[in-house]
Amino acid sequence: MLIHVVKANQTLDQIAITYRVSPASIISVNGLVEPVQLLTGLALVIPTEDVLHTVKPGETLWRIAQIYGTTVQVILGNNQITNPANIYPGQLITIPARRHRVLAGETLWFIAQKYQVSLQNLIKVNNITNANLIYPGTVLIIPRKPRPTIDVNGYIYRFSQDAVATVNREAEHLTYLSPFAYLIREDGSLQTIDDLPLIQAAISKKVTPMMSITNFTSTTRGENLAHLVLTNTEAINRLLTNAINIMKEKGYRGLNIDFENVLPEDREAYNALLQTAVTRLHAEGFFVSTALAPKLSAEQRGLLYEAHDYPAHGRIVDFVVLMTYEWGWRGASPQAISPLNQIKRVLDYAASVIPREKIFFGFQIYARDWLLPHVSGQIAETFGMDEAMSRALRYHAEIQYDTVPQSPFYRYTDTQGNGHEVWFEDARSAQAKFDTVKAYGLRGISYWALAYPFPQNWALLEDNFTIRK
């Protein structure tokens, strides 16, 4: 897939013609609402395996053909170029993906092996519903780029029928589903949640349910609760026994431990809890993971960070979820929620002390709207990407992109005359994050949270990776 940033006065039809795809396919993959209105600066996912190459100074068609593993004749046949020598810097040239015409007796598996692509990707790119029914003469698009296999986790904190529908809709993109969360009590008991419908939906879609336990809520930090549990052997044993019983009863296959704001003096006690948890749960056939605050170094100070011992977590548990988001938290000044420049600093430290095959990249899929001028203590509004786009359209905002945090934003003035600044995610920022996951060789991605629709993200996720089931 390609990403196109809308220019002033561009129409959907013009963009579709440029990339040789249908307007309907662009509408579908981007979740656009008809009648379609395009904002300047809007990033669109273009559903194609073809590549649009911009000619660089000194390039020849022969050189371009070599780069993409094709021929000058193929390029000429797909572009209105009459003289191969008459190309110029800045010219856009379509490089078509390879095609294969099915011969009698060929299977999809054979074709995938022939071109060294995965069967799953071959099926997905060609929208094949029955892999056993392909006919001689059918022309198949061969996926262009390799797709590494990763794990994908999705946290979800809503438990309504709408949440079940969300799981059913996004399940194909998930390895794990984590209903959030069982709240720990002082004696090690757990406050129950109505998670069974979500678990059943996940299992029916071949998604592994992962139980999540935590010590905090939206109104309490939980540091004293964590202290009471971590320093009480009886409470720890009760906590793990309760978790194991719930997992067996409901069908969970693993446990995600999310202790936040742990007191610095309880660091070793937290590590000891993890070791005890792994010993007991592994014996029962369950895996154990943790959620970690985004630390930049071992010496980082602050309640959120000090008790999160990266080397110990990397050594003890099966994998970790880095909560690489919330720089732009609700009470902060307007800024990127998940700035990639800061995330890379976290990954540099994490990858130095935790095996990369144990690291999940935390990815937030929500937007925030701050009032301007920002006043200390003022709380930003949180909503999904669909609402972010609706507001931009409503107030005719021009979308901008900050290349340092790799995040889009816009400003607008509401009907009362109040200024606003909105930071969100788009196709560009999602692709930048996916490129980072590949560059660091991480195990996977963990989304917070599935309550917020983001069609572009899922399309690009599948275009970049094969999701392990």
Side-chain angles (χ1 to χ4, degrees), residues 5 16 25 84-85 101 121 132 144 198 209 226 248 254 289 296 338 355-356 360 375 408 411 443:
V5 179
S25 67
R101 187 177 297 276
N121 289 332
N132 296 315
R144 181 179 297 279
L198 296 176
K248 288 180 177 179
S289 66
L296 303 178
S338 301
R356 294 174 188 240
F360 277 67
V375 176
R411 298 185 181 95
R443 174 167 177 159

Side-chain angles (χ1 to χ4, degrees), residues 127-306:
N127 297 313
I128 295 171
T129 55
N130 187 340
N132 296 315
L133 285 179
I134 60 168
Y135 302 98
T138 300
V139 177
L140 298 176
I141 299 171
I142 305 302
R144 181 179 297 279
K145 59 186 176 184
R147 292 167 168 85
T149 299
I150 63 167
D151 291 355
V152 177
N153 174 57
Y155 286 108
I156 186 165
Y157 58 82
R158 295 177 182 171
F159 304 95
S160 62
Q161 281 303 308
D162 286 345
V164 173
T166 296
V167 173
N168 287 326
R169 183 179 65 247
E170 312 298 3
E172 64 176 310
H173 313 300
L174 302 175
T175 309
Y176 304 106
L177 178 76
S178 301
F180 191 85
Y182 283 81
L183 181 63
I184 301 164
R185 298 191 179 102
E186 293 180 6
D187 62 354
S189 60
L190 292 166
Q191 183 175 308
T192 60
I193 55 178
D194 184 21
D195 52 355
L196 194 56
L198 296 176
I199 295 169
Q200 291 171 340
I203 292 173
S204 72
K205 299 290 186 177
K206 299 182 180 179
V207 177
T208 299
M210 178 166 61
M211 182 180 178
S212 180
I213 60 174
T214 190
N215 65 311
F216 75 100
T217 69
S218 60
T219 56
T220 60
R221 295 190 304 180
E223 67 273 31
N224 294 325
L225 174 59
H227 175 75
L228 291 172
V229 173
L230 293 173
T231 56
N232 185 328
T233 301
E234 184 177 337
I236 289 173
N237 288 331
R238 184 178 294 113
L239 170 63
L240 296 177
T241 297
N242 287 333
I244 289 170
N245 288 340
I246 291 171
M247 292 165 72
K248 288 180 177 179
E249 174 190 350
K250 293 189 173 182
Y252 282 112
R253 298 308 309 150
L255 180 66
N256 181 246
I257 301 173
D258 184 9
F259 272 54
E260 299 189 27
N261 302 309
V262 178
L263 297 171
E265 57 265 33
D266 290 333
R267 173 187 175 111
E268 293 306 320
Y270 189 21
N271 292 343
L273 164 67
L274 298 179
Q275 187 60 68
T276 301
V278 166
T279 299
R280 288 192 59 181
L281 270 70
H282 278 189
E284 298 281 355
F286 299 117
F287 62 84
V288 180
S289 66
T290 57
L292 286 173
K295 293 179 69 167
L296 303 178
S297 71
E299 293 75 32
Q300 188 166 351
R301 295 291 174 252
L303 182 63
L304 191 62
Y305 310 104
E306 291 182 62

Side-chain angles (χ1 to χ4, degrees), residues 11 109 169 291 300 456:
T11 67
W109 181 88
R169 183 179 65 247
Q300 188 166 351
Q456 289 183 329

